[in-house]
Amino acid sequence: MNNFEYASPTSVEQAVALLSSTWGESEILAGGTDLLGRMKDYVSTPKRLINIKKLPGLHAISKENGGLRIGALVTLDRIPESSDIRKNYAALAECVAEAASPQIRNMATIGGNLCQRPRCWYFRNGMGLMPKNSEGKSLVAEGDNRYHAILGNDGPAYFVTPSTIAPMLLALNARVRLIGPGGPREIALENFFRVPHSEDEREHNLQANEILTDILVPAAGSGMRAANYEVRQKAAFDWPLVTAAAVLHMSGNTVQNARVVMGAVAPVPWLSSEAAEAVTGKAIDEETAAAAGRAAVSKARALSENGYKIQIAAVAVKRALLAASGQPVPNVFAQGGAA
Amino acid sequence: MPEQNQYSWPPSADRSYIGSRMGRVDGLAKASGHAKYTYDYNPKGLLYGAFVRCPHAHARITSIDTSAAESMRGVKAVEIVQKPGSEIHWAGDEVVAIAAIDEPTVRDAVRAVKVEYQELPHLVLDAKEPPRDIPPDTSPLGVDDLEGMFSNQVPSNQIIKEIKERGISFKPEEVPLDRIPPEIANAIKSAQQKPSEKKKVPSWYKPAAAETQGDPAGAFQGADTVVSEGVYGLPVIVHCCLESHGAVSEWTDSEHLLVHASTQFVSGIPGQMAEGLGIPAANIRAVQQNIGGGFGSKFAPDRWGIYSAKLSKKAGGAPVKMMLSRAEELEVAGCRPSAYARVRVAAKKDGTLTAWDSFGWGTGGPGGGGSPPIPYLIRDRVPNYRTQWTAVVNNIGPARAWRAPNHPQACLITMAALDDLAHKLGMDPLKFFEKNAELTGSRASIYRDEFPIADQLMGWSKRWHPRGDSTKGPIKRGLGMSMHTWGGRGHQSECDLTIQPDGSVTIKMGTQDLGTGTRTAIMAIAADTLGLTPPQITLLYGDTAYPMSGGSGGSTTIGGVSSTTRRAAVDARDALFGKVAPALGATPEQLEAAKGQIRVKGNASKGLSWKDACAKMGAVPINAHGKNLGGRDPLMNSGVGGVQMADVSVDTETGIVRVNKMVAVQDCGLVVSLETAESQCYGALIMGISYALYEEKVMDSTTGRMLNPNMEFYRLAGIGDLGELVVHMMVNKYDSRGVIGLGEPPVVSPGAAISNAVANAIGVRVPFLPLTPPRVLAALEESRKGTAA
Amino acid sequence: MSTKEKEPANLSRRDFLKISGIAASVPLVVSPTATEAQGQQAGIVGPGAVPITLTVNGKSFSADLEPRVTLLDALREHFDITGPKRVCDRGECGACTVLIDDRPVYSCTTLAIEAQERQIITAEHLGGAQPHAVQSAYVNNDAQQCGLCTPGFTVATKAFLDKHAHGADAEIAHGLAGNLCRCGTYRGIHGVIAQMSGREPKGNAGTTTIAERLATSAEGGA
């Protein structure tokens, strides 16, 4: 880890002023669970770290406009512990409880979870986010891309979005508040993420001297049903191969409106209008859910090693829809006994 | 039955601690964080060492500029490890070593060194089947070839075979004959000397001559013959010791070195470091109280050990800590060689195995590596066989022994092929293995004892179904089994056991406890022999100041230290009997040591407390030197048998595999420390689940670098990734064989048992480990295509 | 759906700058004197060593440390508290787990400078002057081999049991997922949880005969 200046401002304005307007020169330290690892690997080499944990007003979960306001500095462990979230956004509570490990959840913030950088192993090994070989070809496309994108992978970005929570928040139609030298602004979460086209760009719309301050989740509504499904190799604490979040607004057994978002399939959380259309106006059963799963990957394109992700993304969408509508889904980890 | 003598193991009625679950004697020190490891040693004035490493998989160093690093504040010593002109064979190899006042400074200094390289072509992948038309290399062996075989731990018999067949291009005295195994030294001395041949164009592939027996071609013919074919394999994995490799070296004066090493071979460190440092081995003291994992990768001092000492010398003798980072540990501290094979195997319709034919390949890094003993367990006894092996010489990194070297590879390839054959025969694999058990030779009776126990504990006979779980839904469940063996005869080991006149007892032994329970076993034996409790005995160990012990590899420690401890304790006890007998009005032969007394056998009223008995010694302590008898020692033995079964579920839509239950039935002769023995087996099952489902050194073909040198994508099983684990030690059954090593054998079978269970669940073989979603889904897809066509 | 962004109407850029009272950012690379003056105003320290005081196991420890020093390295290298181990150094394995204000965290992924004014407890002091009951249970269940992961695991286990007094298997799978072991001691750790929550351990702990084992097996067999 390179050395750096360290500041611990006590107001948002101070914090913003301390940030450089150029990416890479300064970094925001919140939970640190992503940033410090990147710095140890010299993937990030900021000259200054701004610890924002002492900023006031960003640590609370509160009600706002009938919905939810989650301060960016709320640590992940507190989200499933919130009775309001457990009651009205149970799928969000479950999704957050599945993230990482207890120690990480005690440290990591929800804002940091949305701003974390990709886990692409080329990126993390210091080869760059869009690494190229000497002939200018993508190292990822030519190399081991088993965990890389199947959607939004026209290049040069092939990495996948790392957050396991963003797809659920995006499916819930969440918005985020950002603050920078120009003052605060508020954008839909789906516009917060974007596919970068050069190493200089980030995978979100944050400016280098902006801070994400709040996550706003709209009111749940009585007909809302939601579920998240992760496909991962290990029972816990494992980056999922694919995730799918489904939020349905039901009228009786009929889907009035659906939002289906996949994670770890594209450089951004992937909102699938195809999956949503496939179930809108229908009841969810094995057949409609499976059709929606197929629709979700209808535009997917495999790289050399990740064709299997197309299959499991379709399954994840199917199972998220089934779970959202209250139907049982297979769980391979529930088989057999424990030691 | 072994000959009865005074050292024989006490009958089970006379054992209080031997064979018991007495509790790990160093347990609380470890659990409470007080146990000290090499990495925890923080002497005053400590400097931190680190290496500049080559980023290329194959390159020649063209220039090195250390000036910027040398002028940095806090940098105390810089040493060039490999000079310009040196050829580098794997990414991460050491180029320059630096010591500085703290770790951040040394890491900054490493980044300030400028090294230029000429990149050379590399190969880091190994799963592709090599061409079969490359002739075996028959050119005489050079010193380099020999060194390569040693550093890749090629089995001795294979080295000897190559020396005999190819001859040598050097004079025997050019190699240090006194420091290599005598049988190899003899082979070199008697080898034919030939002029060295001009090297052919280097090839990535090094085929060995085929080995055949019987009529391997004809045996696959015939109306009564059922043939099964398949490809099986497992990739390079790494050890991932939680305490990384490394050492702390300090010069106590200009001629004497003290080294704290993280090592599986404390006694062997001085001899391996002396030459490089230019001092006698006698001037080097190596110590280690605890080691955080080795698994076969920590026998040598390695460059980190040697350069911690060189940097310390340069820095005026200040202690230098040189421990690898996690990424370094995974990139350079050792590879378990991969193994793949295309196999044809045949049996008569009644299930009698008749023929084996395999073409195998795998990599042990730049040396190519040794070949696994295929077909496993039945080699030399299957009537007709042909085995071919091609070493893939590549740049994936250096091979090191990995818990049971070559056995998990040979086991997976063999047991999977046989399981596929059983399926083709329409036989329950358990019945198939029972039917062919005689082909395992002398261990057949052990397997026959173990099969019904494993059957009962798994409920195999009640639950087994033919391939393909017909239950509705995407989750399929299946059973699989495997069997294994290992040698494990005790190594050379010596100790001093001293009884003081005040009754205190001290054992000094240069051995090490890898977490296998060595300390606990030594204590159990000494306590039972002296009639004491473990807290009454002090065990000093892990220090070259104490009598030597062999390296803890090959499951040789438990046999070695057990016999040695028993012998020393018996001799010391008998000497004490001599001193005490007159006071008890008995002859020494009439006495026993039991329950804290020296007493007339079976007569508690006619005895003295331990303390009072020792007081009869006068002022002179009793010292007994223990030394086992090696290959002719009846207290220890070689050769174990184990049977394992796995119960898995597979999500056929996602390819995720879950192990629901595993059963391990394991023999290791006389069980000295039951609880830690069981822990070895549980641990082996968990490690086995890990390599069966997750572990793989993933390499990038373009850059030649490891892509997962971390613990998030080099996955290890977590606490939620195991189902029920049942371990049954064959207690008391084989006591008469003496003590046999255990650490390695139970890790041999899990990969095969789990792979077979997955095949049983989903109806199709997943050829390669680890059994990841892409591989499982690809196998299912292949089978669907096959069915459609 | 709409992708039009809204900016809160009541707060313009000029207003914001007025509120903040800072019209320009604090530059990153300027002359030392300027940095110092502005830095002090914004509370900037480093990159050189700064005095740091940590409260560990009820005692106060002070040293001059660069801001980049992690809590783990401060504990191990500067205060010789070596119960927390450095294994992955990336928040992946849990060997460095300590309690900060009673919550388990990875000390390798926490800066020492951030951990000031907090109560830090390591494995050595988990039970105060005596070993914690969880640590004794680790010995009783032989839930350790090489022991490198064990101190961190005992801290995580204690914190887990504080939240889940009767840890069920599924809760263990998630609640202790943050710690990895290479020797494979997880079965013993299941035994620790069972013992601490008053349940009988499953499997063959304490049994030797096949019949006993079958009687305690959850799967198959009898």
Side-chain angles (χ1 to χ4, degrees), chain B residues 21 23-24 26-37 39-42 46 48 102-105 107-108 237-244 290-293 295 321 323-327 402-403 453 455-460 462-463 477 513-516 647 660-661 674-676 678-684 686-687 690-691 695 710-712 714 716-722 724-729 731, chain C residues 66 68-69 73 75-90 92-95 122-126 128-132 134-155 169 171-190 193 202-214 216-222:
Chain B
R21 295 191 180 92
R24 193 176 285 263
D26 47 354
L28 200 55
K30 286 180 172 176
S32 64
H34 289 102
K36 291 285 184 183
Y37 296 73
Y39 217 161
D40 298 334
Y41 179 57
N42 286 329
L46 180 65
Y48 291 77
D102 58 23
E103 197 179 344
T105 304
R107 296 279 170 204
D108 288 347
I237 65 172
V238 299
H239 304 71
C240 197
C241 308
L242 291 200
E243 181 189 32
S244 62
N290 295 286
I291 173 174
F295 312 110
K321 183 183 278 189
M323 305 291 296
L324 303 189
S325 71
R326 182 55 32 191
W402 194 101
R403 200 172 180 180
I453 297 171
D455 182 3
Q456 274 193 72
L457 291 171
M458 181 53 94
W460 178 285
K462 287 178 205 143
R463 299 172 57 213
R477 197 160 175 171
D513 186 340
L514 273 55
T516 49
D647 163 359
N660 301 316
K661 176 173 175 173
L674 180 58
E675 187 174 43
T676 59
E678 287 169 339
S679 290
Q680 282 295 293
C681 294
Y682 289 123
I686 293 165
M687 205 170 201
S690 207
Y691 80 71
E695 290 181 49
N710 51 55
M711 291 172 78
E712 62 179 332
Y714 191 89
L716 299 181
I719 195 165
D721 298 311
L722 41 135
E724 183 185 356
L725 303 179
V726 180
V727 167
H728 183 89
M729 299 300 303
V731 176
Chain C
E66 293 175 341
R68 62 174 157 175
V69 174
D73 290 350
L75 293 172
R76 291 180 52 82
E77 310 297 339
H78 295 275
F79 306 139
D80 203 28
I81 298 167
T82 57
K85 306 297 183 195
R86 190 165 89 176
V87 173
C88 73
D89 205 26
R90 297 292 185 281
E92 295 157 1
C93 78
T122 71
E124 290 98 321
H125 202 68
L126 197 61
Q130 297 297 315
H132 193 277
V134 162
Q135 293 171 324
S136 302
Y138 265 74
V139 183
N140 294 343
N141 291 277
D142 202 37
Q144 54 191 344
Q145 287 185 34
C146 84
L148 222 278
C149 73
T150 314
F153 240 124
T154 66
V155 174
D169 289 339
E171 288 174 332
I172 295 170
H174 274 80
L176 286 175
N179 296 69
L180 294 172
C181 170
R182 184 45 153 165
C183 300
T185 59
Y186 301 131
R187 187 186 174 280
I189 297 166
H190 271 277
I193 308 288
K202 278 186 202 160
N204 67 359
T207 64
T208 13
T209 67
I210 297 160
E212 280 175 309
R213 265 173 213 164
L214 290 172
T216 55
S217 172
E219 286 295 319

Side-chain angles (χ1 to χ4, degrees), chain B residues 166-237:
Chain B
R166 293 168 58 181
I168 56 174
S169 64
F170 55 91
K171 295 200 181 82
E173 52 273 23
E174 286 175 49
V175 293
L177 292 168
D178 52 329
R179 290 203 284 113
I180 57 182
E183 64 275 19
I184 296 177
N186 290 336
I188 291 171
K189 279 186 259 181
S190 55
Q192 195 187 351
Q193 283 182 51
K194 302 175 180 173
S196 80
E197 282 176 25
K198 198 160 184 259
K199 283 279 174 197
K200 294 173 280 273
V201 182
S203 163
W204 302 119
Y205 302 111
K206 207 166 82 180
E211 299 198 8
T212 58
Q213 173 169 298
D215 176 15
F220 286 91
Q221 315 296 324
D224 188 35
T225 302
V226 176
V227 178
S228 171
E229 291 189 46
V231 182
Y232 314 93
L234 58 180
V236 166
I237 65 172

Side-chain angles (χ1 to χ4, degrees), chain B residues 82 160 254 355 358 388 437 474 487 510 547 554-555 657 703 754:
Chain B
Q82 298 193 72
I160 293 165
S254 64
S358 63
Q388 292 172 277
S555 303
V657 177
T703 60
I754 292 168

